[in-house]
Structures are given as C-alpha cells and as structure tokens.
Amino acid sequence: MTPTPALLAARPTAPVAAPSPPTLQVLHLDEPLPGFPAHRTYVLVPADGAGLLSWLQSVDADGPRFLVVPTQAFFPHYAPVLPPAACAELGLASAGDARIYAVLTVPAGDVPAATANLRAPLVVAPATGRARQIVLSDATHPIRCPVRR
C-alpha cells in the first residue's frame, strides 16, 4: 500500500528525539555505611517520576541498594543539628548547604508500614558528591519514624 500525499505531509521531517535518561548523581561516602565496608561509591537513582523516592545504589555489581527520601519532602520540620566536623569533612560551608536523605525500611513489602531512620541521615554535599551517614546523638529523632505523605 502506498502512503497518500496527505499522510506523507503529516509525517515529521526531522527525527523525534528520544527522552534523555535521568541524570544520576554519583556519591562518594567518606566512611562506608555500617555493615557494608566494601562499598563507598553509590548513585542516586530516581525510583518514581515525582523525584520523591530514590535508590541509593552501589556501583558495584554485587553491591547493596537502599530506598531513600529527601527529608524536606516528607519531614518538613526535620532540622537535625549536624556536627561541624562532619560538615567540614564533607566540604560544606554550612549545614544548610547539605541535602539530607532518610533511609527507608519497608517491612515485608508493606508500603503503608514504611519507616524512615531520622537518627542516622545520609548527608550529601551536592557540589562535590561527597556523603556520609551521620548518627545523631540527639535522641529526639526516631530510628523508625512512620512515613506518610
């Protein structure tokens, strides 16, 4: 079957560009996450279209991955006091320059029961990609805070 002139005229003349893949941020942990001493380089991989969930994925083929959320999206009043030494180690001029993520636990795939660890946030220096999990001495931040949006 030969296309009609109208159909040929309706076809785009330039190729349609494919959507570009999401930009992945590479993170280099100054200290490994507890229990994972061999893994220090990770990428933040978007886990949803809204950018509210990310996978903290080791770049190693056998490496771990963790579900994380930016704390400001789920816990807008969360304002942990970051140790000045940790900020200096990451190259942060101030704690306000950091991106802070909470590691989620989803017990047995039960999403409504998901909790966030606010006692040990992942602190990221966005300009350098340096990161570290900081265990806060302030006991007011729970280890298992329910995640509801």
Side-chain angles (χ1 to χ4, degrees):
M1 176 170 178
T2 305
T4 65
L7 181 59
L8 289 174
R11 283 201 288 184
T13 57
V16 176
S20 59
T23 302
L24 303 179
Q25 181 175 9
V26 177
L27 301 180
H28 302 283
L29 274 64
D30 288 347
E31 289 187 25
L33 296 172
F36 302 94
H39 305 284
R40 289 182 181 247
T41 304
Y42 291 80
V43 290
L44 279 174
V45 180
D48 70 343
L52 294 177
L53 297 171
S54 295
W55 289 107
L56 178 66
Q57 173 71 56
S58 171
V59 298
D60 300 320
D62 63 340
R65 75 175 181 174
F66 306 92
L67 194 57
V68 297
V69 295
T71 57
Q72 77 276 3
F74 287 86
F75 309 99
H77 300 295
Y78 177 68
V81 177
L82 302 177
C87 291
E89 178 184 312
L90 293 174
L92 294 165
S94 74
D97 295 336
R99 285 197 189 131
I100 301 178
Y101 296 88
V103 178
L104 298 186
T105 299
V106 183
D110 183 6
V111 174
T115 60
N117 182 347
L118 298 182
R119 179 84 52 87
L122 179 68
V123 179
V124 176
T128 63
R130 292 178 66 195
R132 107 179 259 148
Q133 187 175 34
I134 297 176
V135 179
L136 302 171
S137 58
D138 182 359
T140 61
H141 299 298
I143 294 172
R144 290 179 195 88
C145 184
V147 178
R148 293 189 179 88
R149 188 133 171 41

